[in-house]
């Protein structure tokens, strides 16, 4: 059984900025306003129709306190109920969960979720580190930079195969990003550059290379949710939220893991198992038509595929090596180009839900999957070991 | 990071850390224009929401109340304002712009609806009060920040004309048989209020010269209101199309007239009967008869009315402004019959004589109201002795006002005020201030006229007094 809902909830409006390394031409509310205006236009609504605004970003990344208040200039939340959410990297996914819950509960008919980031303005490490306490595992953070996944994959499958799988994944993401007009980075990479990139891309930690890391982006995303009745009235193609799950594990503020026997990053596996079990999905790899995965680096991405879909042996590497995760493959992953393509953190996980919903609607643009998309999956990931997964459906028939 | 032990807690460490918090702030296009306008033009601009009419300062891209996109709705606000709240900073820190103690004040600039924060200096801290008037002091060197306004200081107190007029006795007409004699001798009755007229537009002043010249009815209403607030009792109006061309269309002129009356019911409106170049006599007169303003201009001679380069004498636009005797007579009769008081425009002594000659028919009711116009290319330039000659040629009960094109404007109105006459200013005649800066609007020239009156000890006429003096009844 999926978690109890008083009523169904559909996504009826989506707006995103073009994501970019810097936006000197706008301040924070102005950037948000772009996404909000696009989402309202997409849903053919005005702010008058919105009952509640759910605002999210990374705490302190822009050095502004109470950003939801200042951002009213761009969110349109003046005189409306407004809630601020900050759950780290997952915040965008949590925005979606909260909006779904607020609508499903009957509290509001139409809820607008806004995720945003303007990394250029603040000091990310300052925001993450805040108060370090070396005695109690509150380490001085250097951002989401870890080589442990690379070590793990390398030890299991050998350096050559591991490196090639990571770079293949990376190049697939670059090709996808090249199709997405909103993506921040698309270099035009090709598979024949793999050997060159392995040799030349600067190494950050172990085999984790610069080219394999996500970008630092500025951008905003806005998604409008409506109860079933309103969604059917307003939208020709509402995308239904079937279920979502949040799992976290933060007895230590660390993303490195202690050792192979005691890895930290088990929340993806646990979340996926619970979510699929309670929805009666026995073969998720076949069930889903697209997966928008929060992939901060290609090493993590290839490792996590195994966790999400409970794959055995080297099945996850084969999916990548056979390019089954490309648009046109068995399970396209991140037709948007993913987090490696664009990472406005507070918006990133909401973009996963938005992009998955666009695929279900069938109007994602140049990066639309050519075959029908009926079932979509989106994931969020955050620095304090959070996993959020969201299931989207084209039809209300589950 | 260091650890230390506090006395009395020898078994407990205290860990001390320190972080720098660097940040970058992207002002965006709207915020950047706000700063560059202050930097380059010493001008403070806000944005006005057309939906709720709120003027935001600092400007913003979107009205938070109704979500209207207002990024292009720029308006000028004043460099002066009122302290709406303040605090005293009493500690020194790196991020603070001054050494403590200093005052940070929330200042609502005149013309803005929202206050903004700045430093208030040049006064004792104990003298700072909520409600005090302050003015911006611009920085000598730019930093491309809000500190291009270096600080605010207490403003010179300026009491409004309306406050002064509210406390003085209203002027009552006295029948003095020797008024004309005294006036001729240069000893006019200085206790007689001076009527200030603002000619808001004319036919030829365009927005590419000065953005505050009104085109739309709403813009006329706003400008008229500002002029009334500054002390004008009358506005002179050439209605315009949206694109700026002078119009004879009744509906547009009526809409302009009504918009001014709605916004500013007391003010006297003087409509032009010249309208603009190339208009027929019928087009010029029929709108006056249709709308029946309290006052209309009446031109007195056919003359060159061109545009000629003042330095080189080169002719740019050659035009004969036709006002035959028949037209002067027909226009004058139609106005008087419809209860419209003519303002008789004299571009030289001959025009004055023309009006007197036609006047023998008994067309004009007393008092006749003359306007001496100086500096039109085709009329006479301003000369003090010409002014006096014209004044001395007036009939006994006549009033006179004056206006001058370009740099003639301020000298001629000052002379008129000294001699007991009235004053017309406005962007129709001149777009600049006495120091050569562009005027912010006709109202700023009205403020100069008020200053002239104040310095000569003449009260500024209320609209009621202006009607009494000019012999017109309020509509
Ligand atoms: Zn508004």
């Amino acid at each position: 059984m999926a978690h109890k809902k008083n009523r169904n909830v559909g996504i009826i409006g989506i707006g995103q900025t073009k994501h970019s390394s810097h936006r000197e031409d706008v301040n924070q509310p102005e950037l948000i306003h772009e996404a909000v205006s696009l989402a309202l236009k997409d849903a053919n609504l005005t702010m008058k129709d919105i009952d509640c605004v759910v605002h999210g970003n990374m705490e302190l990344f822009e050095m502004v306190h109470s950003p939801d208040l200042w951002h009213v200039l761009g969110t349109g939340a003046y005189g409306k109920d407004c809630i601020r959410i900050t759950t780290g990297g997952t915040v965008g996914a949590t925005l979606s969960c909260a909006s779904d819950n607020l609508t499903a509960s009957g509290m509001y008919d139409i809820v607008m979720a806004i995720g945003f980031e303007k990394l250029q303005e603040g000091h990310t490490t300052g925001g993450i580190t805040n108060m370090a306490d070396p005695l109690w595992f509150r380490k001085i953070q250097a951002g989401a930079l870890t080589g442990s996944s690379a070590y793990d994959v390398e030890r299991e499958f050998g350096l050559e195969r591991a490196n090639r799988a990571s770079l293949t994944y990376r190049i697939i993401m670059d090709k996808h990003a090249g199709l997405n007009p909103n993506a921040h980075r698309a270099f035009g990479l090709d598979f024949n550059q793999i050997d060159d990139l392995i040799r030349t891309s600067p190494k950050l930690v172990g085999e984790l290379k610069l080219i394999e890391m996500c970008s630092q982006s500025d951008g905003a995303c806005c998604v409008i949710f409506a109860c079933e009745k309103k969604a059917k009235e307003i939208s020709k193609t509402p995308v239904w939220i079937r279920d979502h799950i949040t799992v976290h594990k933060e007895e230590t503020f660390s993303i490195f893991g202690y050792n192979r026997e005691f890895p930290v990053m088990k929340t993806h596996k646990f979340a996926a198992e619970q979510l699929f079990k309670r929805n009666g999905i026995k073969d998720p790899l076949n069930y889903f038509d697209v997966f928008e995965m929060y992939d901060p680096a290609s090493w993590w991405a290839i490792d996590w595929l195994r966790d999400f879909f409970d794959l055995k042996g080297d099945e996850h590497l084969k999916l990548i090596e056979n390019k089954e995760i490309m648009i046109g493959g068995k399970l396209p992953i991140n037709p948007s180009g993913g987090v490696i393509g664009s990472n406005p953190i507070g918006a990133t996980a909401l973009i996963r839900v938005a992009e998955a919903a666009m695929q279900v609607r069938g109007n994602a643009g140049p990066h639309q999957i050519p075959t029908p998309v009926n079932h979509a999956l989106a994931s969020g990931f955050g620095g304090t070991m959070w996993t959020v997964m969201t299931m989207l459906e084209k039809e209300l028939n589950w | 990071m260091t650890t230390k032990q506090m006395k009395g807690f020898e078994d407990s460490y205290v860990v001390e850390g320190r972080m720098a918090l660097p940040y970058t702030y992207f002002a965006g296009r709207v915020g950047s224009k706000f700063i560059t306008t202050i930097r380059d033009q010493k001008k403070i601009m806000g944005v006005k929401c057309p939906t709720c009419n709120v003027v935001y300062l600092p400007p913003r891209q979107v009205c938070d109340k109704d979500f209207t996109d207002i990024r292009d709705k720029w308006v000028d606000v004043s460099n002066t304002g009122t302290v709406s709240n303040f605090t005293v900073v009493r500690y020194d820190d790196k991020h603070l712009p001054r050494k403590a103690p200093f005052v940070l004040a929330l200042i609502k600039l005149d013309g803005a609806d929202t206050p903004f924060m700045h430093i208030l200096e040049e006064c004792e801290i104990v003298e700072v009060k909520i409600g005090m008037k302050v003015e911006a002091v611009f920085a000598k060197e730019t930093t491309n920040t809000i500190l291009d306004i270096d600080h605010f200081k207490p403003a010179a107190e300026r009491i409004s004309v309306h406050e002064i007029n509210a406390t003085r006795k209203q002027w009552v007409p006295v029948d003095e048989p020797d008024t004309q004699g005294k006036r001729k001798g240069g000893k006019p009755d200085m206790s007689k209020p001076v009527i200030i007229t603002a000619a808001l537009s004319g036919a030829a002043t365009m927005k590419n010269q000065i953005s505050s010249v009104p085109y739309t009815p709403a813009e006329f209403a706003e400008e008229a209101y500002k002029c009334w607030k500054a002390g004008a009792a009358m506005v002179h109006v050439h209605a315009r199309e949206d694109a700026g061309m002078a119009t004879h269309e009744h509906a547009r002129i009526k809409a302009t007239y009504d918009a001014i009356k709605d916004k500013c019911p007391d003010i006297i409106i003087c409509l032009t009967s010249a309208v603009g170049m190339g208009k027929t006599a019928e087009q010029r007169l029929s709108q006056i008869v249709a709308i029946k303003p309290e006052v209309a201009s009446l031109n007195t001679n056919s003359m060159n009315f061109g545009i000629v380069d003042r330095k080189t004498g080169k002719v740019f636009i050659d035009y004969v402004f036709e006002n035959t005797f028949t037209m002067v007579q027909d226009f004058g009769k139609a106005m008087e019959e419809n209860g419209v008081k003519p303002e008789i425009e004299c571009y030289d002594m001959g025009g004055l004589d023309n009006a007197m000659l036609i006047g023998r028919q008994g067309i004009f009711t007393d008092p006749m109201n003359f306007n001496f116009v100086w500096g039109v290319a085709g009329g006479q330039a301003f000369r003090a002795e010409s002014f006096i000659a014209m004044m001395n040629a007036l009939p006994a009960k006549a009033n006179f006002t004056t206006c001058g094109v370009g740099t003639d404007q301020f000298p001629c109105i000052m002379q008129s005020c000294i001699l007991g006459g009235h004053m017309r200013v406005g962007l129709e005649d001149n777009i600049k201030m006495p120091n050569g800066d562009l005027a912010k609007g006709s109202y700023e020239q009205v403020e100069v006229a008020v200053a002239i009156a104040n310095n000569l000890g003449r009260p500024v006429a209320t609209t009621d007094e202006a009607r009494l003096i000019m012999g017109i009844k309020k509509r």
Side-chain angles (χ1 to χ4, degrees), chain A residues 29-30 32-34 37 47 72-76, chain B residues 30 47 49 56 59-71:
Chain A
E30 290 168 353
I32 289 169
H33 180 244
E34 288 179 13
S37 301
M47 273 319 291
V72 159
L73 296 179
T75 63
Chain B
V30 172
V47 288
C49 174
Y56 289 102
R60 53 183 61 172
Q61 185 173 297
V62 176
C63 173
D64 56 334
K65 307 211 171 38
D66 43 53
F67 220 51
T68 309
D69 195 322
I70 51 178
R71 71 186 78 187

Side-chain angles (χ1 to χ4, degrees), chain A residues 40-41 43-51 80 110 112 224, chain B residues 66-67:
Chain A
L40 288 169
K41 194 166 163 236
N44 198 21
L45 297 177
T46 70
M47 273 319 291
K48 284 200 186 74
D49 302 304
I50 307 298
D51 302 321
K80 295 182 186 297
I110 302 184
M112 174 187 270
I224 302 172
Chain B
D66 43 53
F67 220 51

Side-chain angles (χ1 to χ4, degrees), chain B residues 236-356:
Chain B
H236 175 61
V237 170
H238 292 240
R240 303 286 191 93
E241 294 165 5
D242 281 348
M245 300 305 294
T247 181
H248 61 271
E249 295 292 340
H250 292 193
R252 179 68 172 199
I253 300 169
K254 181 82 166 72
T256 305
Y257 181 91
D258 289 346
I260 297 172
K261 278 286 180 191
D262 280 352
K263 175 90 185 173
C264 200
D266 286 342
I267 207 158
I268 303 164
I269 300 176
C270 168
L271 284 185
T272 178
S273 73
V275 182
M277 284 188 186
K279 305 293 183 187
T280 65
E282 201 278 330
Q283 286 169 343
R284 288 168 53 184
L285 183 57
S286 67
Q287 44 111 12
I288 300 289
V289 174
I291 295 161
K292 298 185 181 47
E294 289 173 85
V295 183
S297 64
L298 175 65
N299 297 283
T300 51
N301 45 2
S302 297
M303 60 189 286
N304 286 326
F305 205 113
I307 298 181
V308 178
D309 189 300
R310 300 278 165 175
K311 287 195 188 98
T312 63
K314 192 167 174 272
V315 180
F316 291 136
I317 294 177
D318 209 6
Y319 177 69
V320 175
F321 182 29
E322 200 178 56
N323 295 289
T324 63
F325 277 126
T326 311
M327 285 170 71
V328 179
Q329 154 200 306
D330 291 351
F331 278 38
K333 271 187 191 159
M335 287 178 194
E336 291 281 4
E337 278 165 14
N338 284 282
V340 177
K341 196 78 180 171
E343 180 187 86
I344 300 163
E345 314 294 326
C346 302
Y347 299 84
D348 57 30
M349 187 66 98
L352 192 154
D353 287 332
N354 291 349
M356 300 301 291

